[in-house]
Amino acid sequence: MITGDAAYIKKINRSIILKEIVKEGLISRADISKVTALTRATISAQVADLIDEGLIIEKQLDHFTVGRKPIMLSLNCDIGFAIGIDLDYDHISFTVSDLKGTPVRSTRTEIDTDDYSEIVKILINQIEEYKAEFAESRYGIIGIVIAIHGLVGKDEVIHYIPRLKWNNIPLKTDLERQVGINVYLENNANLSAFAERVFVHHETDNLLSATLYSGIGLGMMMNNDFFRGHDGFSGEIGHMIVVPKGKPCNCGNKGCWEKYSSESSIFEYLSKKRQIKNLTYQHIQEWLDEGDEEVHALMEEFIFYLSIGLNNMINMYNPDVLVLDSELLRMYPNALEKIKENLHSSISHYRELLISSIGKKSCELGACALAIKHFLGVPMLNLPLENQEN
């Protein structure tokens, strides 16, 4: 039983009710009472407030044929919009979603600078465009979440981004001062893990997501929250050493996992070897289709070293679900089966190992979802993946 002052109890009850409305899509007051054990009077009072705020709307089921048509409650998804931003070393991707996590706008800006002031200008200009575009909705832009490919502390200060060479950067404070909207910073792998939990794996509270694009990051959802470690720096699994005295890494060590099993390591090798400056996934797909022996051998080596790191992760965290986010794995035939064949340890335990069905947009979608979670004040979101088809 929840105890405390009236305002606190009201806030908790509101959160519980909103969570169920978002989860179900359409739900009646009576059904909310059944699943939450809240009284009809409490639900009626809370729902009245939420309707006044415009956050939920009432709908009647036209196809209901027996008895009085029930009044259903639904989230008013167009009353506000979230911005999710993936700040990578060579581009910035922006996605705007409604309150159900459905993308409505996307923009990608290529960058060839690591200058902080220049990148902040790009961010501000695009955010201001979105603010103007969605100003007519009641709440406008309800929050901004930025995915950082590096170390973000619990204080949301960027402590280090290797590729941009940023140290102790107050991006959150600088942006909030300029755009007047709540800004949140989170590690990119954590946001990918959050997207997997919110849009796909509704029934797990113990999920790991390894992103393999510009490096290797590990997002960890434990008991429906991020596992960040003491300072917020956990998840830098790409710098686990898998080859002692191996390839030198920007972090200062040698033999780091991401030098062998990140997509960037594959692209860097093939770009240099075949003298193609702007190497794309299409190039690699064509070589695979043609049966290129070198590329197939490179992918087999990629999977071999990937399996070594995954074995360590599984033994370390004993996850319920482990998701791999990689376009190359989606392209390569039987990649998942090959990985599983390499996991021989009798003490490795996990329920499900799979390749992400969301793909490269998971980071931005997770960012949008986190902004929505903060705005609604709910403990967790369950949103349907079919909203993300575009």
Side-chain angles (χ1 to χ4, degrees):
M1 180 177 179
I2 299 173
T3 60
D5 63 60
Y8 174 73
I9 294 172
K10 184 176 181 181
K11 181 180 178 181
I12 294 297
N13 289 340
R14 171 193 173 96
S15 175
I16 292 170
I17 291 167
L18 258 179
K19 177 177 178 288
E20 291 302 321
I21 293 171
V22 174
K23 176 183 176 183
E24 298 300 328
L26 281 174
I27 189 171
S28 67
R29 291 168 174 82
D31 286 337
I32 293 175
S33 181
K34 289 177 184 177
V35 298
T36 64
L38 295 173
T39 66
R40 297 286 186 94
T42 295
I43 292 168
S44 293
Q46 290 279 358
V47 165
D49 288 345
L50 291 168
I51 290 174
D52 286 343
E53 294 170 30
L55 288 175
I56 63 173
I57 53 178
E58 294 181 309
K59 295 182 179 181
Q60 209 164 41
L61 291 183
D62 294 333
H63 63 274
F64 201 78
T65 57
V66 179
R68 190 173 65 179
K69 297 176 182 178
I71 302 297
M72 309 298 285
L73 304 172
S74 177
L75 183 68
N76 186 1
C77 62
D78 296 325
I79 201 169
F81 297 86
I83 300 179
I85 301 174
D86 183 8
L87 175 56
D88 211 337
Y89 73 96
D90 61 352
H91 70 276
I92 307 173
S93 296
F94 301 81
T95 292
V96 180
S97 80
D98 64 19
L99 294 188
K100 289 187 178 178
T102 305
V104 296
R105 294 288 184 277
S106 290
T107 304
R108 177 181 167 114
T109 301
E110 305 298 324
I111 56 175
D112 58 1
T113 180
D114 58 12
D115 182 78
Y116 177 67
S117 61
E118 289 298 316
I119 291 175
V120 168
K121 286 179 185 177
I122 294 170
L123 291 169
I124 291 172
N125 288 340
Q126 187 60 66
I127 290 168
E128 291 295 344
E129 283 188 27
Y130 287 141
K131 279 178 64 178
E133 182 176 356
F134 295 98
E136 293 185 5
S137 62
R138 180 164 174 176
Y139 292 101
I141 300 300
I142 54 91
I144 301 165
V145 174
I146 303 178
I148 303 299
H149 293 245
L151 301 179
V152 182
K154 291 181 178 178
D155 55 4
E156 294 186 80
V157 170
I158 297 173
H159 288 263
Y160 183 50
I161 299 181
R163 296 213 179 209
L164 294 177
K165 300 180 178 63
W166 289 1
N167 289 278
N168 299 317
I169 299 294
L171 178 61
K172 171 185 169 71
T173 303
D174 291 345
L175 281 182
E176 286 182 337
R177 186 185 301 120
Q178 292 293 322
V179 302
I181 299 172
N182 288 332
V183 175
Y184 306 91
L185 305 188
E186 187 55 75
N187 176 266
N188 66 298
N190 276 348
L191 290 173
S192 290
F194 190 67
E196 295 292 340
R197 169 59 185 83
V198 167
F199 294 109
V200 183
H201 301 282
H202 296 163
E203 303 305 319
T204 183
D205 61 358
N206 188 341
L207 180 145
L208 302 183
S209 175
T211 58
L212 309 179
Y213 297 113
S214 58
I216 301 181
L218 179 65
M220 294 178 279
M221 297 295 301
M222 303 292 183
N223 297 319
N224 281 334
D225 200 358
F226 296 120
F227 178 82
R228 293 188 174 91
H230 181 265
D231 295 310
F233 300 160
S234 66
E236 291 298 319
I237 201 75
H239 298 288
M240 169 177 61
I241 295 174
V242 296
V243 181
K245 299 182 181 180
K247 299 175 183 177
C249 180
N250 292 334
C251 76
N253 279 328
K254 293 182 179 180
C256 289
W257 191 25
E258 68 179 39
K259 300 305 292 184
Y260 298 85
S261 288
S262 66
E263 292 196 351
S264 59
S265 67
I266 299 289
F267 274 80
E268 286 170 11
Y269 174 82
L270 287 174
S271 179
K272 183 177 180 180
K273 181 72 180 296
R274 305 201 173 188
Q275 298 184 338
I276 300 176
K277 184 177 181 181
N278 297 313
L279 189 72
T280 66
Y281 287 107
Q282 185 60 36
H283 286 108
I284 296 177
Q285 184 67 71
E286 289 175 0
W287 292 329
L288 289 173
D289 293 342
E290 293 167 359
D292 188 301
E293 291 184 4
E294 181 184 33
V295 175
H296 276 272
L298 194 61
M299 286 300 300
E300 292 293 329
E301 184 179 78
F302 172 76
I303 286 174
F304 171 75
Y305 283 111
L306 179 60
S307 303
I308 292 174
L310 293 179
N311 179 75
N312 294 341
M313 286 168 49
I314 291 166
N315 286 334
M316 197 179 305
Y317 295 108
N318 180 213
D320 182 21
V321 176
L322 175 54
V323 182
L324 308 177
D325 192 1
S326 163
E327 191 64 28
L328 290 181
L329 291 181
R330 280 185 283 273
M331 291 164 49
Y332 195 58
N334 303 315
L336 195 59
E337 289 72 17
K338 291 174 182 289
I339 293 169
K340 290 179 179 179
E341 288 171 2
N342 288 335
L343 301 177
H344 303 300
S345 175
S346 60
I347 63 171
S348 292
H349 292 286
Y350 59 91
R351 181 176 63 84
E352 194 170 6
L353 173 65
L354 65 159
I355 298 171
S356 173
S357 58
I358 302 177
K360 294 195 74 171
K361 298 286 284 184
S362 64
C363 183
E364 295 157 61
L365 293 175
C368 289
L370 187 59
I372 295 166
K373 177 180 179 291
H374 285 307
F375 174 68
L376 296 179
V378 295
M380 181 49 70
L381 294 168
N382 286 353
L383 299 172
L385 181 60
E386 53 261 31
N387 284 341
Q388 316 314 322
E389 290 179 353
N390 60 334

